[in-house]
Amino acid sequence: MTKKILSSEKIRRVITRLASQVIEKSGKLSDIVLLGIHTRGVPLAYMLAQQIELLEDIKVPVGAIDVTFYRDDLDRIKTRTPAKTKVPIDLTGKIVILVDDVIYKGRTIRAALNAVTEYGRPKMIRLLVLVDRGHRELPIHPDFTGKKLPTSSEEQVKVYLQEIDGRDAVELLKNPTD
């Protein structure tokens, strides 16, 4: 059973709100670097950068980070080909905002924190997620959250983005294995 959580229009509104929060809480916007976590965090980071530019007339550098080799659960996740990490500038002294679609147990974010240190020593690292579904195994909490969505461990949150999936939506799949 599938339940639509966010439509394309609602995702657009959430991105606008998140961009405004980033602007409000980050101070000097020229210090910000957005790093999208592959796969869907990357287009989300670009969407946020476009919205920040629209609101503040400043271009924020955007990069992409793949955390595959930094994970501590490689033996439990399905095999995948790592994507290319692209960090646009040295991160030393910058405010890095990691962008991801869904936070669940926190393992992807832990891996991303380790990966970021390969590209400099940021002044600060913040986390922005489109959906927080709870069930954390690690003490990691987003600084910016688009939608809090309480779920059971049997449910699955699917994010669809135009650039990858041909449509924008967030759906909750109940009992996806049935």
Side-chain angles (χ1 to χ4, degrees), residues 21 57 74 77 84 106 136 143 153:
Q21 290 174 358
D57 198 30
L74 278 175
I77 62 171
K84 191 145 181 91
R136 221 74 80 238
D143 298 283
S153 55

PDB file of all heavy atoms in Angstrom, residues 21 57 74 77 84 106 136 143 153:
ATOM      1  N   GLN A  21      15.552  28.907   5.936  1.00  0.00           N
ATOM      2  CA  GLN A  21      16.145  28.553   7.227  1.00  0.00           C
ATOM      3  C   GLN A  21      17.668  28.538   7.151  1.00  0.00           C
ATOM      4  O   GLN A  21      18.345  29.014   8.074  1.00  0.00           O
ATOM      5  CB  GLN A  21      15.625  27.191   7.700  1.00  0.00           C
ATOM      6  CG  GLN A  21      14.182  27.217   8.113  1.00  0.00           C
ATOM      7  CD  GLN A  21      13.643  25.825   8.445  1.00  0.00           C
ATOM      8  OE1 GLN A  21      14.339  24.818   8.324  1.00  0.00           O
ATOM      9  NE2 GLN A  21      12.386  25.773   8.856  1.00  0.00           N
ATOM     10  N   ASP A  57      20.385  36.381  -4.108  1.00  0.00           N
ATOM     11  CA  ASP A  57      21.246  36.777  -5.227  1.00  0.00           C
ATOM     12  C   ASP A  57      22.723  36.451  -4.966  1.00  0.00           C
ATOM     13  O   ASP A  57      23.615  37.257  -5.220  1.00  0.00           O
ATOM     14  CB  ASP A  57      21.070  38.278  -5.531  1.00  0.00           C
ATOM     15  CG  ASP A  57      21.584  38.627  -6.922  1.00  0.00           C
ATOM     16  OD1 ASP A  57      21.521  37.760  -7.805  1.00  0.00           O
ATOM     17  OD2 ASP A  57      22.076  39.769  -7.093  1.00  0.00           O
ATOM     18  N   LEU A  74      28.690  -2.150   4.996  1.00  0.00           N
ATOM     19  CA  LEU A  74      28.772  -2.589   3.600  1.00  0.00           C
ATOM     20  C   LEU A  74      28.335  -4.040   3.428  1.00  0.00           C
ATOM     21  O   LEU A  74      27.779  -4.401   2.390  1.00  0.00           O
ATOM     22  CB  LEU A  74      30.200  -2.432   3.066  1.00  0.00           C
ATOM     23  CG  LEU A  74      30.586  -1.048   2.585  1.00  0.00           C
ATOM     24  CD1 LEU A  74      32.059  -1.008   2.198  1.00  0.00           C
ATOM     25  CD2 LEU A  74      29.720  -0.602   1.431  1.00  0.00           C
ATOM     26  N   ILE A  77      24.307  -4.003   3.149  1.00  0.00           N
ATOM     27  CA  ILE A  77      23.558  -3.258   2.135  1.00  0.00           C
ATOM     28  C   ILE A  77      23.808  -3.879   0.761  1.00  0.00           C
ATOM     29  O   ILE A  77      24.809  -4.564   0.556  1.00  0.00           O
ATOM     30  CB  ILE A  77      23.915  -1.749   2.135  1.00  0.00           C
ATOM     31  CG1 ILE A  77      25.390  -1.540   1.811  1.00  0.00           C
ATOM     32  CG2 ILE A  77      23.552  -1.113   3.451  1.00  0.00           C
ATOM     33  CD1 ILE A  77      25.775  -0.099   1.582  1.00  0.00           C
ATOM     34  N   LYS A  84      30.595   9.399  -8.389  1.00  0.00           N
ATOM     35  CA  LYS A  84      31.760  10.277  -8.319  1.00  0.00           C
ATOM     36  C   LYS A  84      31.543  11.379  -7.283  1.00  0.00           C
ATOM     37  O   LYS A  84      30.526  12.053  -7.299  1.00  0.00           O
ATOM     38  CB  LYS A  84      32.016  10.896  -9.692  1.00  0.00           C
ATOM     39  CG  LYS A  84      33.332  11.612  -9.789  1.00  0.00           C
ATOM     40  CD  LYS A  84      33.907  11.438 -11.171  1.00  0.00           C
ATOM     41  CE  LYS A  84      35.236  12.130 -11.306  1.00  0.00           C
ATOM     42  NZ  LYS A  84      36.352  11.295 -10.996  1.00  0.00           N
ATOM     43  N   GLY A 106      20.893   6.731  10.573  1.00  0.00           N
ATOM     44  CA  GLY A 106      21.993   7.667  10.771  1.00  0.00           C
ATOM     45  C   GLY A 106      23.329   7.192  10.238  1.00  0.00           C
ATOM     46  O   GLY A 106      24.317   7.910  10.270  1.00  0.00           O
ATOM     47  N   ARG A 136      16.651   6.311  14.787  1.00  0.00           N
ATOM     48  CA  ARG A 136      18.094   6.488  14.775  1.00  0.00           C
ATOM     49  C   ARG A 136      18.813   5.439  15.610  1.00  0.00           C
ATOM     50  O   ARG A 136      18.379   5.085  16.702  1.00  0.00           O
ATOM     51  CB  ARG A 136      18.436   7.885  15.312  1.00  0.00           C
ATOM     52  CG  ARG A 136      19.516   8.573  14.560  1.00  0.00           C
ATOM     53  CD  ARG A 136      19.099   9.110  13.199  1.00  0.00           C
ATOM     54  NE  ARG A 136      18.396  10.366  13.340  1.00  0.00           N
ATOM     55  CZ  ARG A 136      17.165  10.552  12.883  1.00  0.00           C
ATOM     56  NH1 ARG A 136      16.533   9.630  12.242  1.00  0.00           N
ATOM     57  NH2 ARG A 136      16.581  11.697  13.048  1.00  0.00           N
ATOM     58  N   ASP A 143      19.896  19.421  11.393  1.00  0.00           N
ATOM     59  CA  ASP A 143      19.745  20.829  11.762  1.00  0.00           C
ATOM     60  C   ASP A 143      18.554  21.445  11.040  1.00  0.00           C
ATOM     61  O   ASP A 143      17.941  22.391  11.541  1.00  0.00           O
ATOM     62  CB  ASP A 143      21.021  21.602  11.387  1.00  0.00           C
ATOM     63  CG  ASP A 143      22.220  21.071  12.131  1.00  0.00           C
ATOM     64  OD1 ASP A 143      22.362  21.392  13.320  1.00  0.00           O
ATOM     65  OD2 ASP A 143      23.014  20.309  11.525  1.00  0.00           O
ATOM     66  N   SER A 153       9.372   0.342  11.361  1.00  0.00           N
ATOM     67  CA  SER A 153      10.545  -0.203  10.669  1.00  0.00           C
ATOM     68  C   SER A 153      10.148  -1.056   9.462  1.00  0.00           C
ATOM     69  O   SER A 153      10.962  -1.311   8.588  1.00  0.00           O
ATOM     70  CB  SER A 153      11.412  -1.011  11.633  1.00  0.00           C
ATOM     71  OG  SER A 153      10.643  -2.011  12.252  1.00  0.00           O
TER      72      SER A 153
END
